[in-house]
Amino acid sequence: MINIHSIPEWFPMRVTYNRELKIKDHLDQLSIENYIPMHYELVGNGEDRALRRVPAIHNLIFVRLSQEELTDLKMTRRELEPLRYMMRPKEGNSEAQEIIRVPDRQMENFMRVASAEDERVMYLKCTNFLEKVGQRVKVTNGYFAGVEGVIKRIKNNRRVVVQINGVAAVAIAHVPSDYLMAID
């Protein structure tokens, strides 16, 4: 029988005190797959201002490992102790909590869109409106061909949004209508 806790999965993890880049360095040294959504931002004051790549969503890192291995690392490696599992109410039992896991395909879509380093992508800080039902689509042409998401109205414009429920969302600024195919 296969132990489901030994299968690698994507886990969104909270990291305390903006230490996500330090944690990423440690995970990279251990050859553990991880991802931090990054973007360019003006950092500094006055003449010292410079455009730098910084985390787009602070205190968040995605780690791909089995839950068993990840828990073991958190308990045995002091430098990884700041990692915290993200939880959500268990379906059908609002009082119980479960660890959030992200399916590989959903994570691939999110990383593909979040990795575009230009004005085509916007991170959504307030995700309350994302619970509204929207048309699921697949981008069929252009830079984002193959990406699946949901059409949502943001700032009076229709955008393709790729979201990880309860964690993060990123929207593609503009995709021509003829590049979209409705999916179930």
Side-chain angles (χ1 to χ4, degrees), residues 13-15 17-21 36-37 39 41 54-61 125:
M13 306 289 290
R14 287 277 175 234
V15 181
Y17 306 112
N18 292 324
R19 293 183 278 188
E20 59 270 16
L21 293 175
I36 296 176
H39 71 156
E41 188 174 288
V54 297
I57 305 167
H58 289 286
N59 300 319
L60 174 68
I61 186 169
K125 296 188 188 324

Side-chain angles (χ1 to χ4, degrees), residues 12 14 22 33 41 43-44 48 50 61 64-65 69 72 77 80 111 113 118 128 130 139-140 156 160 167 172 182 184:
R14 287 277 175 234
K22 287 181 184 176
E33 191 173 2
E41 188 174 288
V43 178
D48 293 337
I61 186 169
R64 188 167 193 277
L65 208 55
E69 292 169 312
D72 184 57
R77 297 249 179 194
L80 299 178
M111 289 189 301
V113 174
D118 58 26
N128 297 341
L130 293 176
V139 179
T140 60
N156 295 323
V160 175
V167 179
I172 302 172
D184 295 327

Side-chain angles (χ1 to χ4, degrees), residues 11 13 63 65-74 85:
F11 292 93
M13 306 289 290
V63 180
L65 208 55
S66 73
Q67 182 180 345
E68 191 174 83
E69 292 169 312
L70 187 51
T71 299
D72 184 57
L73 277 175
K74 286 170 37 62
Y85 285 110

